[in-house]
Amino acid sequence: MSAAVLLDVAHSCRCGCTERLLAEEAAAHAHLLVLCAGGVRSDATDSLVGVWSGEGMRVLVNWCATAACAYRLKQAVDELSAFSLRVITSPRGRAWMLGYERAFFTPLYKFTYRLGCGADAPAPKVDDDVAAFLHRLPVVGGAIRLLTSSLIPDCFGHGFSTRLGGVSYVPTLSSLNLFSSPRRQDSMAVVHENRRRLAIHAGFYPHPLQMVKVQHSSRVWVVGKHEPDLYDAAVTDQPGVVLAAPGADCIPMIFTDPVAKVIGVAHAGWRGTLQGVASATVMAMTTELGCVCANILVVLGPSVGPCCFTLEPEQASRFHPDCIRRSQCHRPNVDIQLANRLQLEEAGILPHHIHDDASVTMPCTSCHPRDFFSHVRDGAHFGTQVGFVWIKEGPGIPSVAGRVGPGLFTRTTF
């Protein structure tokens, strides 16, 4: 990771304070980014840049306080991996910068402002500008593709997202990243745009995704009751509520009961699997919403396979012996898909009502970089796909899933 100094010529004064502030930063080992007014690099700009003795320079033109310019700045910062940014500007320039900083940058980026002369100004409202700009961005990588299961009847909408069809450009997040974290590079504004595009293609727009708030636990939220701060599963009988569970090696699971018209989702990593999140979701559906186990259908979405997932021996030993694959290395390979199937069957779900890698060849998220995000493969800055489901609100609504035989995934391009 590197640092950068951002020189805001567009809003700087001409009294000499900008040159002084820039000279104080010039000794730092940092790149220099320059915002020029109106797309013009003037003699005054060249004079300011002349005091710089740092490592590099990159000029950004056409600063006009718009989302497009702020987004271009974000791209330049990401190209340099410059997560520490010292901004030389005026109070008025800081007001504009703060609005777009909140829109496009996460807390991973550390901004420090050094101000020249001028009066303070209120931060402008930029949300509409940002949303309109993101709506116009071209798709990165290709069209949205969803995985759906013919096990789920047409009274429900559902799907598992893949990584194509969004606007995220950072390589490990490209392109349909659906989760924003303070420790990653996609802001909530970008993730909201990706979710909007997913909703339009999948058919639940304008309903938002109700994403579980991951804790790697077995806590289940029954929609309508008090929402916990953190939980890994949710269930509801309310039509139009779109439940979603994230996954990037962990398993996003979809639960449906076509008799009681109840749905659920769960996020099952290895910790949540050991804590019983799958069986806890079944329990919530039966005790809270009147479901019968024999009617519940469960689909386990793409996750890391036993080919790529390993744990420490003491951790692996907590799984059923059938889920452990001995290897030549110190860490045994573990099959978390099978572990959840066994848990679901023990909870009363009929074996043929579970769709997982025992019923079809399931792609391993780590082995398929074009199709899926993966924490195991990509490290800390990984992107996130989701499994989602909702109860359709009336007849005549097209189904997302195309039936191709019992228990099979179909890949659909929208």
Side-chain angles (χ1 to χ4, degrees):
M1 297 183 183
S2 60
V5 173
L6 174 63
L7 174 61
D8 180 8
V9 178
H11 299 105
S12 64
C13 64
R14 297 292 180 263
C15 71
C17 62
T18 301
E19 290 91 331
R20 175 180 55 80
L21 292 172
L22 185 61
E24 291 174 0
E25 297 286 353
H29 294 288
H31 298 279
L32 177 64
L33 304 174
V34 183
L35 292 177
C36 299
V40 178
R41 179 173 170 176
S42 65
D43 292 341
T45 301
D46 290 337
S47 176
L48 277 171
V49 171
V51 306
W52 179 257
S53 59
E55 289 183 346
M57 187 189 77
R58 182 172 297 204
V59 176
L60 299 180
V61 299
N62 199 28
W63 174 254
C64 51
T66 65
C69 181
Y71 193 73
R72 187 177 173 192
L73 169 62
K74 170 70 161 50
Q75 289 177 311
V77 168
D78 284 334
E79 288 172 7
L80 297 171
S81 296
F83 297 112
S84 175
L85 198 65
R86 297 188 296 279
V87 184
I88 298 174
T89 185
S90 65
R92 183 169 64 93
R94 180 180 62 175
W96 279 105
M97 189 67 66
L98 283 172
Y100 291 107
E101 177 194 336
R102 295 175 186 130
F104 287 124
F105 294 86
T106 70
L108 177 68
Y109 302 84
K110 305 302 180 185
F111 280 73
T112 302
Y113 290 89
R114 303 201 62 188
L115 303 182
C117 300
D120 286 331
K125 297 184 182 300
V126 302
D127 292 351
D128 291 343
D129 180 32
V130 169
F133 170 74
L134 292 173
H135 288 0
R136 297 191 298 268
L137 284 180
V139 169
V140 176
I144 289 178
R145 291 183 293 165
L146 301 179
L147 295 179
T148 57
S149 171
S150 61
L151 188 65
I152 305 298
D154 288 344
C155 57
F156 304 106
H158 81 286
F160 296 94
S161 67
T162 59
R163 69 179 299 169
L164 296 179
V167 300
S168 303
Y169 62 80
V170 176
T172 57
L173 303 177
S174 173
S175 66
L176 193 66
N177 173 42
L178 298 170
F179 184 74
S180 179
S181 163
R183 298 182 298 274
R184 303 183 210 167
Q185 292 167 266
D186 265 357
S187 70
M188 201 64 234
V190 172
V191 167
H192 276 317
E193 175 60 18
N194 286 341
R195 291 182 182 181
R196 185 188 72 88
R197 296 187 184 206
L198 173 68
I200 290 172
H201 285 290
F204 60 84
Y205 183 81
H207 298 297
L209 288 174
Q210 181 64 58
M211 190 88 74
V212 300
K213 301 175 181 179
V214 171
Q215 188 181 23
H216 300 288
S217 70
S218 60
R219 178 176 289 182
V220 183
W221 176 43
V222 180
V223 177
K225 295 189 174 183
H226 174 72
E227 183 179 4
D229 292 334
L230 297 170
Y231 54 94
D232 282 83
V235 297
T236 188
D237 58 1
Q238 299 179 20
V241 177
V242 186
L243 299 181
D249 295 333
C250 297
I251 308 170
M253 291 192 283
I254 292 174
F255 299 73
T256 63
D257 181 340
V259 178
K261 290 292 181 67
V262 171
I263 58 172
V265 295
H267 162 269
W270 71 269
R271 292 182 180 86
T273 298
L274 288 174
Q275 293 190 46
V277 67
S279 57
T281 307
V282 173
M283 179 68 71
M285 293 176 72
T286 56
T287 60
E288 299 281 350
L289 298 175
C291 295
V292 175
C293 283
N295 297 327
I296 297 176
L297 311 170
V298 187
V299 182
L300 279 63
S303 69
V304 66
C307 51
C308 297
F309 184 61
T310 64
L311 288 173
E312 293 297 328
E314 59 272 21
Q315 297 167 337
S317 67
R318 299 168 62 188
F319 286 83
H320 190 283
D322 290 347
C323 303
I324 301 174
R325 309 286 191 266
R326 300 299 175 185
S327 65
Q328 295 180 350
C329 70
H330 169 71
R331 294 164 58 98
N333 294 65
V334 178
D335 189 341
I336 58 173
Q337 286 258 345
L338 178 58
N340 279 278
R341 169 176 275 275
L342 296 175
Q343 186 180 138
L344 288 165
E345 291 180 3
E346 187 175 348
I349 305 300
L350 300 176
H352 62 284
H353 282 178
I354 303 170
H355 183 179
D356 62 354
D357 62 359
S359 54
V360 66
T361 300
M362 180 71 68
C364 166
T365 48
S366 181
C367 288
H368 293 80
R370 174 169 171 78
D371 292 321
F372 302 108
F373 300 109
S374 169
H375 183 198
V376 169
R377 184 190 64 236
D378 296 333
H381 296 291
F382 62 95
T384 301
Q385 52 258 344
V386 302
F388 58 91
V389 62
W390 76 97
I391 303 167
K392 293 180 179 177
E393 298 181 76
I397 301 176
S399 171
V400 174
R403 291 188 172 272
V404 295
L408 293 179
F409 273 118
T410 178
R411 184 170 305 207
T412 308
T413 302
F414 290 85

